[in-house]
Amino acid sequence: MKCTTLLRPLAAGLLLALLALTGCSNARGFCTAAGECDNEIAGFFFGGNDSVGSSDDSIEVCVAQQDGYLRALRANEEPECSEAAAAWDAYMACVATVFANEGVDEACDALANPLAVDNHPCDGELDDYQDAMRDADDGRDCSQSET
């Protein structure tokens, strides 16, 4: 009986680790925050998500878009593209964390254009992403149509 009680926490930990490795991404928290902020923010300044909407399918579409964007960046051989993917994922994690810990208003600030918000909560992460994209020739090195 003691063996069973010892194995349950181990099994639960392994299950959580497996879920983390099989597709849980920062996109879900990011898109949930974006859906909540959609009324406050007319359009996001980053591509692909000018409006998320707050319905479940809208959030799912946003998650698919963001996960696809990360996969596309990571599929490129240029290291700058992988750096941009890591930086965008870190930005999404920051937004999701701000949303979970500090609420909608702060999350909306994290999603807003940093030039329009004082003390932007995720400014460092967003700067890292923008720097990586500039290093990748404003993202052109990471596109499917590079020549």
Side-chain angles (χ1 to χ4, degrees):
M1 191 127 156
K2 283 187 178 185
C3 186
T4 304
T5 58
L6 292 174
L7 291 177
R8 282 187 185 165
L10 179 61
L14 288 173
L15 180 61
L16 288 174
L18 182 60
L19 287 173
L21 293 174
T22 58
C24 292
S25 77
N26 295 311
R28 177 146 327 275
F30 172 81
C31 291
T32 301
E36 291 292 323
C37 297
D38 204 35
N39 292 333
E40 293 183 36
I41 300 172
F44 298 121
F45 60 95
F46 49 88
N49 270 336
D50 57 333
S51 182
V52 174
S54 58
S55 69
D56 288 343
D57 62 336
S58 298
I59 292 169
E60 292 302 317
V61 168
C62 173
V63 169
Q65 286 175 329
Q66 295 307 316
D67 286 344
Y69 179 60
L70 289 175
R71 279 192 305 278
L73 286 173
R74 290 176 179 140
N76 280 273
E77 63 187 25
E78 292 81 9
E80 297 86 4
C81 302
S82 293
E83 291 168 16
W88 186 252
D89 199 36
Y91 171 67
M92 288 195 303
C94 179
V95 170
T97 300
V98 167
F99 179 64
N101 295 336
E102 299 178 35
V104 175
D105 290 340
E106 286 295 316
C108 293
D109 285 349
L111 286 164
N113 186 327
L115 298 175
V117 175
D118 291 334
N119 300 317
H120 191 272
C122 299
D123 191 43
E125 292 83 354
L126 189 56
D127 284 347
D128 291 345
Y129 168 72
Q130 291 169 334
D131 289 346
M133 291 303 281
R134 275 192 284 281
D135 290 346
D137 194 20
D138 292 325
R140 287 186 286 278
D141 291 347
C142 303
S143 72
Q144 295 174 352
S145 60
E146 60 179 304
T147 55

